[in-house]
Amino acid sequence: MRLRNLIILTVIVPLFLILVVFSLVAIHSLEDNVRSKLQTEVQIITHAIGTSLGYALARDSPESLEESLHSAFSFHRIYGAYVFDVAGREVYGLGLGRELFEPEEIRAVVEDGELTGTYRQHDGWTYYSALMPLATPGGEVRGVLQVNRLNTGIENYTGFLTLVAGAVFLVGSAGIVFGIWWGFRRHIERPLNRLLEVMARVENGDRQQRAEPRGPEEYRRLAVALNGMLDAMAEKDADIEARRLNEIALEKQLRKSHKLAELGVLAAGVAHEIGAPLTVINGQAQRLARRETIGDDERARLTRIRGEVERIVEIVRQLMELGRRHNVEKEWTVLNDLVQAAQTLVEEDLEQRGIVLETALPRPSPRLLANGQQLVQVFTNLLRNAVQAEGTRRVRLSAESRGEQLRLRLEDDGDGIREQDKPQVFDPFFTTKPVGQGSGLGLSMVHRIINDHGGTITVFDSDLGGAGFLVTLPLEDSLADGRSVTPFNEPPIQGRQT
């Protein structure tokens, strides 16, 4: 049962029943009191004039009889007075109500010898009539006195007043019930429904819902408490989600580290096995190229052979670098100097392709504890990756300090990254370039260096239209024990690999 109906049934209805009973008892008591007063007054008047009428009957004096009856009309609301003989015949009378009693009723009063009173109706009027035997001073009953009083005052309207009071009570009760219903609905039910609606939406998964602290003070306090509970739950959920993402990222990092370690072992074995043959091939090609008996075409082919051999050696070296655990030697360095060094290394590529490089670096330039040479390699690889992207005409490099972290963003307006290629951007040997134009190890090397510095690198879709890389680095040394720990302060964003 709803609280509103429960309050009406258990509180309002019993209260109204008590008021109804009390009102009926009060009206009934008022009616009895009025009638009792009326009867008492009539009986007193009857006794007052009855004595003088008894003497008048004893003297057999019509004048005294008439004078005594006239004196009855000096009292309030006496409308009739009659004298009857013992046979019930009228002797003398004045006013209204002569025919209220039959002769038999008058003779019965003579026989009883007691004053009696009763209510009678005649011609649409209600009377209270008192009948009293008239006795001489010697005690002989010589007649009967009838005194009539008309119900023209409040005693005549007690029934009507009862009906009016009942109607007023019903109307008032309906108004009170409606007022309670409306007040309950506005000040209790509506605020409660708002809170229940918020709780239902939260239960359905909308954890951002909050209650509006309005309405009565109790509901405002309840809404504030509910919002506090939801905020605490949101904080806990966010903490759990962050831990979950961090565990996923750490698991991915661990798998990548194992993969790179295995790759390093494989590269070391490959380097050992093919090192000697490659040295022989390179040496023989160099000796053949020095002979004057060969033509320019053969010499160019030998030069290409030596270039490819050197490329194989470089790839093997990079593989060994990827799989090897590094103890980074760090020193305090200035960010602007590192960016300027990387820009100098790619300046020729920028000019050849007509690409504009925009930089937005903080002033003064932040200092960070890092291996400057490795970070220059990172920035150089990222810039070359942007420059070599199809359709690139503009590259933007920006940085900012947030607390104890440095955030560097590099974006371009090229063709961007295909959706299916994004999960593999930092995998070794993954490249979108034609065969022979890229080893697919550049961004893997960048990822390894950033990870060795205790930072993160993610890739996202730039608002310039192409790809963007976000590098986060600690300004101070966060790897005091030499272990690589990758914080994941932001969810991974999609990216592109060269």
Side-chain angles (χ1 to χ4, degrees):
M1 182 179 293
R2 303 188 70 175
L3 179 61
R4 176 184 60 198
N5 299 334
L6 188 62
I7 292 177
I8 291 177
L9 291 178
T10 58
V11 178
I12 306 303
V13 171
L15 179 62
F16 282 170
L17 291 177
I18 293 173
L19 290 177
V20 167
V21 173
F22 177 79
S23 300
L24 293 177
V25 171
I27 293 174
H28 183 70
S29 299
L30 174 63
E31 183 178 356
D32 288 345
N33 184 49
V34 171
R35 290 189 176 186
S36 176
K37 184 178 179 181
L38 170 64
Q39 295 171 10
T40 302
E41 290 179 355
V42 173
Q43 292 173 3
I44 291 175
I45 294 171
T46 303
H47 276 290
I49 65 176
T51 303
S52 61
L53 287 174
Y55 282 104
L57 288 175
R59 294 193 303 269
D60 197 14
S61 173
E63 293 80 4
S64 299
L65 184 64
E66 182 178 354
E67 183 180 353
S68 297
L69 285 178
H70 275 285
S71 66
F73 289 92
S74 63
F75 295 98
H76 183 57
R77 285 186 290 183
I78 297 299
Y79 288 86
Y82 296 88
V83 176
F84 300 92
D85 59 16
V86 294
R89 295 186 297 268
E90 180 182 350
V91 177
Y92 187 78
L94 297 172
L96 304 176
R98 175 181 175 278
E99 300 176 353
L100 293 178
F101 297 94
E102 298 294 333
E104 292 80 7
E105 295 176 308
I106 295 175
R107 289 195 295 268
V109 173
V110 173
E111 293 175 359
D112 293 339
E114 298 290 338
L115 185 146
T116 184
T118 184
Y119 285 92
R120 293 294 174 93
Q121 289 188 345
H122 182 67
D123 293 336
W125 297 95
T126 300
Y127 299 87
Y128 177 75
S129 296
L131 296 175
M132 186 183 78
L134 296 176
T136 62
E140 180 186 2
V141 177
R142 300 284 297 274
V144 175
L145 172 63
Q146 175 185 342
V147 178
N148 301 327
R149 183 171 182 176
L150 186 65
N151 286 351
T152 58
I154 188 174
E155 65 275 8
N156 199 38
Y157 296 97
T158 52
F160 175 73
L161 290 176
T162 301
L163 295 177
V164 172
V168 171
F169 181 80
L170 291 177
V171 173
S173 299
I176 292 174
V177 170
F178 177 77
I180 293 175
W181 175 84
W182 183 83
F184 186 93
R185 179 178 178 82
R186 177 178 177 83
H187 300 294
I188 297 179
E189 191 173 9
R190 286 183 180 177
L192 187 60
N193 286 337
R194 288 197 297 266
L195 294 179
L196 292 176
E197 184 178 356
V198 170
M199 296 174 69
R201 291 180 179 177
V202 172
E203 182 182 5
N204 292 332
D206 188 0
R207 300 297 180 89
Q208 302 300 321
Q209 280 292 322
R210 293 296 182 271
E212 297 183 14
R214 58 191 178 101
E217 176 65 23
E218 292 78 5
Y219 285 97
R220 290 201 298 269
R221 294 171 59 185
L222 184 60
V224 170
L226 177 62
N227 291 341
M229 181 184 69
L230 293 177
D231 290 340
M233 291 175 57
E235 292 179 3
K236 293 295 183 181
D237 291 342
D239 183 63
I240 293 173
E241 182 65 15
R243 291 176 181 272
R244 186 184 70 84
L245 293 177
N246 191 46
E247 290 176 358
I248 294 174
L250 290 176
E251 184 179 356
K252 290 181 178 180
Q253 183 64 29
L254 183 60
R255 289 200 301 266
K256 184 179 289 293
S257 298
H258 288 167
K259 182 177 180 180
L260 292 178
E262 294 173 355
L263 188 61
V265 173
L266 177 62
V270 171
H272 177 73
E273 294 297 329
I274 69 174
L278 288 176
T279 301
V280 173
I281 294 173
N282 188 36
Q284 293 298 324
Q286 183 178 7
R287 292 180 60 182
L288 289 174
R290 291 175 181 172
R291 292 183 180 182
E292 296 180 356
T293 57
I294 65 174
D296 293 338
D297 182 63
E298 289 79 2
R299 186 174 285 105
R301 292 177 183 272
L302 291 172
T303 302
R304 182 177 179 184
I305 291 173
R306 293 188 62 196
E308 293 300 322
V309 169
E310 292 176 356
R311 182 168 177 267
I312 294 173
V313 173
E314 180 63 21
I315 290 174
V316 173
R317 185 191 65 79
Q318 290 180 357
L319 286 175
M320 294 178 66
E321 288 290 327
L322 282 177
R324 185 181 303 164
R325 178 177 292 276
H326 297 267
N327 293 321
V328 182
E329 297 182 1
K330 300 180 180 179
E331 60 181 0
W332 288 105
T333 183
V334 180
L335 174 65
N336 286 16
D337 295 342
L338 302 179
V339 173
Q340 183 62 39
Q343 183 177 353
T344 301
L345 293 175
V346 298
E347 187 173 2
E348 182 177 352
D349 294 335
L350 293 171
E351 292 178 354
Q352 289 179 353
R353 297 173 180 265
I355 297 174
V356 177
L357 175 62
E358 303 173 359
T359 57
L361 304 178
R363 298 290 182 181
S365 180
R367 299 174 68 249
L368 66 158
L369 188 62
N371 187 303
Q373 181 178 359
Q374 291 185 0
L375 290 188
V376 169
Q377 182 180 356
V378 167
F379 298 154
T380 302
N381 283 344
L382 292 178
L383 286 171
R384 282 177 176 164
N385 186 75
V387 168
Q388 295 172 2
E390 290 292 333
T392 299
R393 292 294 178 267
R394 179 185 174 195
V395 178
R396 181 170 63 194
L397 178 63
S398 60
E400 62 177 342
S401 298
R402 287 191 179 181
E404 298 180 355
Q405 288 186 334
L406 173 68
R407 295 165 59 90
L408 186 140
R409 299 165 65 95
L410 192 142
E411 306 168 70
D412 63 64
D413 61 349
D415 292 342
I417 308 293
R418 294 186 305 174
E419 194 68 30
Q420 61 269 27
D421 295 337
K422 291 178 181 179
Q424 310 174 63
V425 288
F426 297 113
D427 290 347
F429 300 112
F430 178 79
T431 179
T432 58
K433 295 178 180 179
V435 177
Q437 295 187 16
S439 64
L441 295 175
L443 287 181
S444 298
M445 185 67 67
V446 167
H447 184 276
R448 193 267 301 167
I449 293 174
I450 297 299
N451 185 69
D452 288 344
H453 281 75
T456 63
I457 180 170
T458 55
V459 64
F460 59 94
D461 293 328
S462 171
D463 56 8
L464 296 181
F469 290 89
L470 173 63
V471 176
T472 302
L473 290 169
L475 293 175
E476 297 184 2
D477 192 356
S478 63
L479 302 177
D481 59 354
R483 291 179 296 128
S484 294
V485 180
T486 305
F488 287 83
N489 297 322
E490 297 186 359
I493 315 174
Q494 305 301 326
R496 169 177 63 209
Q497 164 73 22
T498 56

